[in-house]
Amino acid sequence: MAVIHHTTLKPTKLELLTSWLPSRPWYRGGAGEPNLAKAGGFRLDDPEGEVGIEFMVVADASGTHPTTYLVPLTYRGAPLDGAEHALVGTMEHGVLGRRWAYDGCHDPVLVAQLLALIEGRVQAQDQNTSDIPDREVTRSYLGDGLAPTDFTTATDDQEGTELPAPLGTTLRLHRVLRPAPDGGPLLPSEATGHVAGSWHMPDGSRARGLFVVLRAGSRA
């Protein structure tokens, strides 16, 4: 299990995201600087114990309407080869030293563990406490085993990030989070897998919605 160190980060994660978020096509904020607050999230464990994996939920109050974003991040002790375009920034960790923070959709370790979560082979972990499962995170999967190496190129659009695989299978991360309607269906009818979770709304209430959807393509 990953160990959560309660220590200093310079700059903080929110400070890094304040600079990075406006560069994303799915960012909905205004012309000014984002006004970010942590709203939720969870972690996954790297089996090798080298890469920190966090799915952060952040709320931004800078635009006309408050917006909540899903921001998967990985934290590494050295640069990830070929991922300069996905670098969010670097931080000085009070225990671990310099850490390179990446948009996790471009990190093969995060993608592999996300697929393992969807398949039910690993469990989401509490964002702030070591060795505590996050039972608010739910998942489902109908299908055969998924090969992480099939999902190679992450592409952003106005709503999220999509990772295609052969035969039309796609893994889609909802970057702009929306609460599920009361009593309404959580999953699209064509989904073969998902990850869902909860977060804090600006008024202090709790919302729940989809984080990730897997759609299977045709079979040859």
Side-chain angles (χ1 to χ4, degrees), residues 41-47 53-55 70 72 108-126 132-142 145-146 148 171 173 192-197 208 210-214:
F42 65 95
R43 288 180 176 263
L44 294 174
D45 287 327
D46 170 18
I53 304 172
E54 182 176 15
F55 287 73
L70 176 68
V109 173
L110 182 143
V111 174
Q113 293 309 106
L114 175 57
L115 294 174
L117 173 64
I118 291 172
E119 291 182 329
R121 294 185 284 110
V122 302
Q123 191 169 22
Q125 299 295 311
D126 186 85
I132 298 294
D134 187 336
R135 304 197 184 280
E136 287 196 331
V137 176
T138 60
R139 42 68 54 192
S140 68
Y141 180 58
L142 300 172
L146 298 167
L171 182 66
L173 287 86
T192 56
H194 88 285
V195 176
R208 183 168 184 81
L210 282 171
F211 289 165
V212 182
V213 172
L214 181 75

Side-chain angles (χ1 to χ4, degrees), residues 63-153:
T64 305
H65 303 287
T67 306
T68 306
Y69 301 102
L70 176 68
V71 186
L73 295 168
T74 56
Y75 310 109
R76 289 175 168 266
L80 174 61
D81 290 343
E84 295 82 4
H85 63 290
L87 182 67
V88 176
T90 59
M91 305 176 291
E92 291 298 327
H93 189 283
V95 175
L96 301 175
R98 177 156 293 188
R99 304 293 283 173
W100 281 256
Y102 288 95
D103 179 354
C105 295
H106 300 268
D107 193 317
V109 173
L110 182 143
V111 174
Q113 293 309 106
L114 175 57
L115 294 174
L117 173 64
I118 291 172
E119 291 182 329
R121 294 185 284 110
V122 302
Q123 191 169 22
Q125 299 295 311
D126 186 85
Q127 190 176 25
N128 302 307
T129 308
S130 302
D131 200 17
I132 298 294
D134 187 336
R135 304 197 184 280
E136 287 196 331
V137 176
T138 60
R139 42 68 54 192
S140 68
Y141 180 58
L142 300 172
D144 302 324
L146 298 167
T149 53
D150 287 344
F151 297 84
T152 55
T153 304

